[in-house]
Amino acid sequence: MVSSPALRTALFFAELTERNLLLRCYLFKNVCYNPAFCRSRTCGLVMKAPVVLVVVIVLCHSIKADDSFSGEFPGSGEKDSPETKTNDDKCEPNPCQNGGTCVVNYDLIDGYKCECEEDFGGITCNELQCRISLPQFSSPHCVVKRELSRQIKKTLIRLTSDKDSDYSKSEHLLVPTLSKKGAASFVQSASTDPFTIEWYMKMTDNADVNRDLESHFTLKDPRFHQTPTLIDFAIVFLTFYKEHRKRSAMSSLKLVPAIEENFFKDRCFADQRVAGANPFQLWRAIDNGDVYVNIYPELDGVKMPEALLRDVKFNHTVLQMTSPIAFFVVTKDELGIKRLNPVAIQMDSKLEAKVYTPIYGKDWFLAKSFVQRADYNSLHLIRKRLKVHLYLDAPCTLVEKYFSEYHPIYQVVRQHCRAALETNKLFEIKLFGRSGPIYKVLSVDYSSALEIVNKEYERMTFDDLDLLEDLKKRGVDDVEKLPYYPYRDDGKILYQKLSEFVDAYIDAQYEDDDQVLADNELQEFANELSADGTHGDFAGLGKVKKFPASIKTKAALRQVLTTLFWAFTGGHAASTYPILEYGGFVPNAPHRLFADSNGNTEFSNLMFGNKAVALEIAELSSNLAGIHLDQLLDYSTKIEGNKGREVVEKFHDELKNVGQEITKANDKRVKEGFLPYPYLLPEYVSNSAST
């Protein structure tokens, strides 16, 4: 009876459960000669049976009730189509299977062409080629294929959990991520996967270039371990920067102020709060007022062990991390342009901490360096590592776990998760592992970094990823009060276009809210990702607070996808690419500061370290921000299904207008003496958090 390998495989899966007759119900017509048999089993098992079997039960009844059903499993070819052409021997008997129509065509080598029914293809329509569709609209043949595939993925793919036997809160990240015991081999496999091989090659090539630059410096500089001057720091920075600048968004601008020539100015210091590498820390201090603060609560109380405070490459004492508070006031300059101006810096969040103002000269510069140090430590640990990479690991993992490759949502989200999981594993192994090089650069050790990330993660909600919600929470969304905030203004332009794109894509796939609610693949995804999930053993394991456990409307799906797409694209770009310009020059970005020769916290020529420190920071910055995997929404040719492809192509073309608007805004900023902010130009925004 069982002659096809596909049927034997399906039967094998069916026999793995005591309810195997339910699957046979669909596979073999004679089992279901009485539709009432299958129908009678449905209600009692629907809450217990795996999803694939439940779907099969329903299909069995619906198919047998349809008199037009051929009675043969897809691909058997035993029943001719009633529409077979008979005007030539080439079409008699009908070579086309699965209801395909034979058409005589002497231009072809076989003398005929098969016009296949939906979901079938190949020369004789013998190949099952499922179309892109919501699961509830899949053909009976494709439901079995996509559900069996999903069951296998659900068995193999899982998130890390505090329920794991080897879990220890003091030794592990609280953030759920893809569970992979062979993480190194997982990253290595990207070198052979067509979907990620480009990422792997760019990442390794970029690392090789930076390693060569560092080696060149080490071998040729006879003063390598001496205390450098500002010119020496600039030489190190520019050696790396010139290698990568052609791929930077800054290369698109005509006039670019050099950071090595402006870093010490108060205006440059202030502009970096809203247009630098970390424009996420500024808060309004007083409602309806003009006073703003940069704060770093995530760094409160962070201390490195005394044994680790001696820098081995510089042989000087590393100053302990603090949580400074920088105060700014918006005032008008001589041309009537409103600017953010620094007025005071408190060296730590403790009440007894010293406070400096611009009149303090060198101590004021030291205070600004304390703020810059906090800025880059927070950027690397919280904004980039946690919010851009680790927090997005669970959504990308669960998209792979629950969505069929034929789901229209999977088609686009997959592009925005491209190489993201591999990047995260690579970061955690090579950069943030217990002996990772990041701890030779930052002012924290492995244990402190783990504590900082876990503490901040427990406070996070899904809203923290959303641009508009974040701006509103920090009180910096008022353009009249704070006119110059390029991250906010350019971000809103890009966010709005992404929202329109998501809206159009959803409208192309879902007719109404009922279709959203009936999408079982979407609902299973939300159930595990949301901290409020309730159904099944995996409910809530994603731990994402304020993420809906069930997505019931098109509006809710629109908000979820817009937030995720912003985080994958604009959020990643803003957290990553400015590091190349601002994060590689040590006097502007002191990731750690050093005591003077007497061990005191004072302004001195020793405070930034030596060229060994400069090389570590320049190489780190170039590794993190030196590559762009692709361009925003450039993947229309990779989307299956005409409706989805047309939407992607349309909005990719519309991004040209976004680019022109942002370019025009940057020209105006430079003319008015502000720092430009080209990092959200669409052609320099990658689709995923892949670097």
Side-chain angles (χ1 to χ4, degrees):
M1 172 181 169
V2 183
S3 58
S4 165
L7 290 178
R8 288 197 295 271
T9 302
L11 182 58
F12 170 75
F13 276 104
E15 290 175 345
L16 293 179
T17 170
E18 61 184 3
R19 307 185 184 96
N20 64 79
L21 194 57
L22 300 175
L23 187 54
R24 294 189 190 203
C25 193
Y26 171 71
L27 297 179
F28 306 112
K29 61 180 182 179
N30 58 316
V31 176
C32 211
Y33 63 91
N34 180 6
F37 172 79
C38 291
R39 194 185 317 120
S40 68
R41 300 293 299 270
T42 302
C43 296
L45 296 176
V46 69
M47 297 304 293
K48 298 180 180 180
V51 174
V52 61
L53 297 183
V54 174
V55 174
V56 164
I57 296 168
V58 177
L59 284 174
C60 179
H61 170 58
S62 63
I63 292 170
K64 292 307 169 184
D66 185 355
D67 293 335
S68 66
F69 180 61
S70 67
E72 301 298 336
F73 192 70
S76 65
E78 295 178 11
K79 192 172 183 69
D80 291 341
S81 166
E83 301 178 7
T84 300
K85 310 285 185 180
T86 57
N87 59 343
D88 192 277
D89 289 341
K90 296 293 184 182
C91 287
E92 184 63 40
N94 181 16
C96 305
Q97 303 178 33
N98 300 300
T101 300
C102 181
V103 178
V104 174
N105 188 336
Y106 290 112
D107 292 332
L108 301 177
I109 191 170
D110 294 319
Y112 69 89
K113 176 184 178 181
C114 286
E115 295 179 351
C116 303
E117 293 290 301
E118 197 170 55
D119 290 328
F120 291 99
I123 295 176
T124 60
C125 304
N126 63 325
E127 299 175 11
L128 184 60
Q129 297 177 356
C130 298
R131 71 189 189 281
I132 304 301
S133 71
L134 299 177
Q136 60 266 42
F137 300 123
S138 287
S139 67
H141 323 299
C142 290
V143 164
V144 172
K145 182 176 182 179
R146 75 192 277 168
E147 285 300 324
L148 285 176
S149 173
R150 286 203 326 124
Q151 290 292 10
I152 294 172
K153 292 199 298 180
K154 285 193 281 187
T155 301
L156 298 176
I157 300 174
R158 60 186 297 271
L159 293 171
T160 56
S161 170
D162 53 11
K163 298 177 182 179
D164 294 342
S165 59
D166 62 344
Y167 178 82
S168 169
K169 187 173 182 179
S170 62
E171 293 292 329
H172 291 81
L173 288 165
L174 297 180
V175 195
T177 59
L178 173 65
S179 178
K180 274 285 180 185
K181 291 184 178 180
S185 61
F186 171 70
V187 174
Q188 182 66 32
S189 67
S191 65
T192 57
D193 186 340
F195 191 56
T196 54
I197 188 171
E198 183 182 1
W199 165 83
Y200 186 87
M201 293 176 65
K202 285 187 174 182
M203 189 70 76
T204 52
D205 289 348
N206 186 59
D208 289 342
V209 167
N210 293 325
R211 195 178 300 114
D212 289 343
L213 291 173
E214 192 215 15
S215 299
H216 172 78
F217 247 105
T218 304
L219 293 173
K220 291 195 173 185
D221 188 355
R223 302 178 303 152
F224 187 65
H225 292 291
Q226 296 177 11
T227 303
T229 64
L230 289 178
I231 294 177
D232 294 327
F233 282 124
I235 291 173
V236 172
F237 164 65
L238 290 173
T239 298
F240 284 83
Y241 182 58
K242 288 178 179 178
E243 178 66 35
H244 298 286
R245 187 182 185 279
K246 56 182 175 292
R247 291 181 291 276
S248 167
M250 279 291 185
S251 65
S252 66
L253 304 182
K254 297 177 182 177
L255 298 175
V256 180
I259 189 63
E260 67 275 13
E261 297 176 5
N262 294 279
F263 75 97
F264 57 89
K265 299 176 183 177
D266 284 358
R267 179 177 291 184
C268 183
F269 175 73
D271 283 2
Q272 286 185 72
R273 303 314 111 206
V274 291
N278 190 356
F280 319 107
Q281 305 290 147
L282 189 72
W283 294 66
R284 179 184 282 181
I286 304 172
D287 289 343
N288 298 319
D290 294 318
V291 179
Y292 295 83
V293 293
N294 246 52
I295 55 175
Y296 306 90
E298 61 272 15
L299 301 178
D300 286 348
V302 174
K303 297 294 180 185
M304 282 178 66
E306 292 292 331
L308 299 178
L309 290 179
R310 197 69 177 177
D311 187 276
V312 295
K313 286 196 173 184
F314 188 42
N315 197 30
H316 280 73
T317 301
V318 178
L319 295 178
Q320 286 281 14
M321 174 61 72
T322 65
S323 177
I325 303 174
F327 296 85
F328 301 85
V329 175
V330 175
T331 59
K332 289 184 178 180
D333 64 9
E334 59 276 8
L335 298 177
I337 300 173
K338 285 186 175 182
R339 295 183 180 276
L340 195 66
N341 293 289
V343 294
I345 294 174
Q346 185 172 310
M347 301 291 275
D348 200 356
S349 58
K350 298 177 182 177
L351 292 176
E352 65 272 17
K354 292 181 179 180
V355 177
Y356 294 106
T357 64
I359 66 172
Y360 279 82
K362 290 183 178 180
D363 286 334
W364 172 245
F365 182 77
L366 176 67
K368 289 193 295 183
S369 296
F370 267 55
V371 173
Q372 292 294 83
R373 177 182 64 166
D375 219 45
Y376 282 90
N377 277 261
S378 179
L379 171 66
H380 286 299
L381 293 175
I382 299 301
R383 187 68 202 189
K384 184 153 179 61
R385 184 189 183 190
L386 174 60
K387 295 186 179 181
V388 168
H389 291 284
L390 292 176
Y391 205 76
L392 295 177
D393 202 294
C396 286
T397 297
L398 298 182
V399 162
E400 290 293 339
K401 179 176 182 177
Y402 288 111
F403 283 101
S404 162
E405 63 183 297
Y406 304 112
H407 198 293
I409 297 297
Y410 178 81
Q411 288 281 302
V412 289
V413 177
R414 182 172 186 254
Q415 299 297 329
H416 293 285
C417 288
R418 183 185 178 198
L421 297 175
E422 290 82 357
T423 298
N424 294 351
K425 291 303 179 189
L426 181 65
F427 270 24
E428 293 305 308
I429 295 170
K430 297 292 186 181
L431 190 61
F432 290 105
R434 185 172 292 277
S435 302
I438 192 77
Y439 307 115
K440 299 177 183 177
V441 174
L442 299 184
S443 296
V444 296
D445 64 329
Y446 172 82
S447 298
S448 298
L450 185 65
E451 181 181 351
I452 291 170
V453 170
N454 283 341
K455 182 174 68 173
E456 185 64 19
Y457 168 69
E458 290 186 306
R459 290 199 291 251
M460 274 191 71
T461 71
F462 188 62
D463 288 346
D464 290 331
L465 298 183
D466 187 84
L467 172 69
L468 303 185
E469 289 294 329
D470 176 60
L471 294 171
K472 183 179 179 181
K473 179 178 69 174
R474 293 191 284 119
V476 293
D477 53 341
D478 190 334
V479 178
E480 292 296 324
K481 289 289 184 182
L482 186 62
Y484 172 68
Y485 197 167
Y487 164 69
R488 173 198 63 200
D489 300 335
D490 295 357
K492 281 185 174 181
I493 296 171
L494 188 60
Y495 183 98
Q496 177 61 33
K497 185 56 64 176
L498 287 172
S499 179
E500 293 172 6
F501 163 65
V502 169
D503 201 14
Y505 195 86
I506 290 175
D507 283 344
Q509 310 299 339
Y510 297 87
E511 290 186 0
D512 51 37
D513 293 344
D514 290 339
Q515 290 185 3
V516 174
L517 189 59
D519 185 344
N520 68 291
E521 295 179 11
L522 174 66
Q523 303 307 330
E524 289 176 24
F525 163 79
N527 180 61
E528 181 166 349
L529 185 60
S530 170
D532 299 321
T534 58
H535 302 295
D537 295 337
F538 299 105
L541 291 186
K543 294 184 179 180
V544 178
K545 301 170 186 174
K546 292 192 177 181
F547 190 93
S550 176
I551 301 175
K552 300 178 180 180
T553 65
K554 291 173 65 175
L557 179 57
R558 181 181 305 116
Q559 184 57 54
V560 163
L561 289 182
T562 299
T563 298
L564 284 174
F565 283 13
W566 164 257
F568 290 139
T569 60
H572 167 256
S575 306
T576 303
Y577 298 122
I579 294 174
L580 190 64
E581 269 79 27
Y582 299 107
F585 182 54
V586 172
N588 183 69
H591 292 51
R592 54 173 48 179
L593 291 169
F594 298 90
D596 64 12
S597 56
N598 296 319
N600 298 321
T601 304
E602 302 287 347
F603 173 87
S604 74
N605 292 334
L606 302 174
M607 60 189 291
F608 297 127
N610 63 0
K611 281 190 177 178
V613 175
L615 280 170
E616 292 273 8
I617 291 177
E619 184 176 10
L620 171 68
S621 301
S622 298
N623 279 333
L624 292 179
I627 67 169
H628 290 72
L629 179 58
D630 46 28
Q631 294 181 341
L632 187 58
L633 301 186
D634 66 350
Y635 50 79
S636 62
T637 58
K638 300 172 185 176
I639 299 295
E640 297 180 35
N642 291 333
K643 291 189 294 185
R645 186 185 307 113
E646 289 171 0
V647 171
V648 175
E649 188 171 14
K650 173 180 181 291
F651 278 88
H652 179 254
D653 291 340
E654 290 184 8
L655 286 176
K656 296 175 183 177
N657 297 328
V658 172
Q660 292 171 0
E661 187 174 355
I662 293 176
T663 298
K664 184 177 179 180
N666 275 305
D667 290 341
K668 182 174 182 289
R669 290 162 188 157
V670 173
K671 289 178 181 178
E672 293 180 347
F674 291 110
L675 289 180
Y677 193 77
Y679 304 106
L680 295 179
L681 286 168
E683 60 265 39
Y684 292 98
V685 175
S686 296
N687 288 305
S688 61
S690 53
T691 181

